[in-house]
């Protein structure tokens, strides 16, 4: 009977370790994706706040991203993110969209 228990433990122990490893990898990759999405949302909020700061200071929304980079110090990883900044008029809030680039 004892031999049977030892064989069962020897059989199930590697399976349990493999299961724990797979669960850990899945959880960590989910956390990484969540942080990546959070960074994208934060960048979008930063661009929006920079545009609002410009509007409050100068009375117009910035004409483009370069304007915000030069005058307001906006910077981001352009290899990682694509920022779409569509202006409708000097006194209308621009449409701001940030997307992650594919690796």
């Amino acid at each position: 009977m004892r031999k049977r228990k030892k064989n069962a433990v020897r059989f199930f122990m590697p399976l349990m370790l493999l299961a724990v490893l797979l669960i850990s990898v899945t959880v960590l990759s989910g956390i990484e994706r969540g942080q990546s999405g959070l960074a994208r949302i934060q960048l979008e909020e930063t661009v929006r706040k920079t545009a609002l700061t410009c509007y409050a200071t100068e009375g117009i929304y910035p004409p483009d991203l370069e304007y915000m980079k030069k005058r307001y110090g906006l910077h981001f990883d352009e290899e990682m993110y694509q920022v779409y900044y569509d202006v409708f008029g000097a006194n209308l809030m621009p449409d701001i969209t940030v997307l992650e680039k594919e690796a």
Side-chain angles (χ1 to χ4, degrees):
M1 185 78 161
R2 286 185 182 243
K3 193 169 197 170
R4 193 173 196 174
K5 281 186 179 181
K6 284 184 180 180
N7 287 339
V9 169
R10 284 184 183 167
F11 177 73
F12 286 113
M13 186 62 81
L15 291 176
M16 288 174 38
L17 290 174
L18 181 62
V20 168
L21 179 66
L22 289 174
I23 290 169
S24 299
V25 168
T26 303
V27 168
L28 290 175
S29 68
I31 290 171
E32 184 178 308
R33 274 185 262 128
Q35 288 177 344
S36 178
L38 181 61
R40 183 194 58 78
I41 291 168
Q42 288 175 336
L43 175 56
E44 191 170 310
E45 289 175 4
T46 299
V47 173
R48 185 168 280 109
K49 286 179 182 179
T50 303
L52 287 170
T53 300
C54 178
Y55 186 76
T57 304
E58 300 179 26
I60 60 167
Y61 285 102
D64 54 29
L65 286 173
E66 290 303 316
Y67 189 87
M68 287 189 283
K69 288 177 184 177
K70 288 179 184 175
R71 293 202 173 192
Y72 293 92
L74 177 68
H75 64 280
F76 57 92
D77 186 353
E78 295 184 32
E79 292 180 10
M80 189 170 199
Y81 298 102
Q82 178 68 45
V83 178
Y84 296 97
Y85 184 81
D86 297 322
V87 179
F88 304 110
N91 62 343
L92 298 174
M93 180 65 172
D95 184 34
I96 300 167
T97 305
V98 177
L99 301 174
E100 287 184 59
K101 292 183 178 180
E102 294 292 322

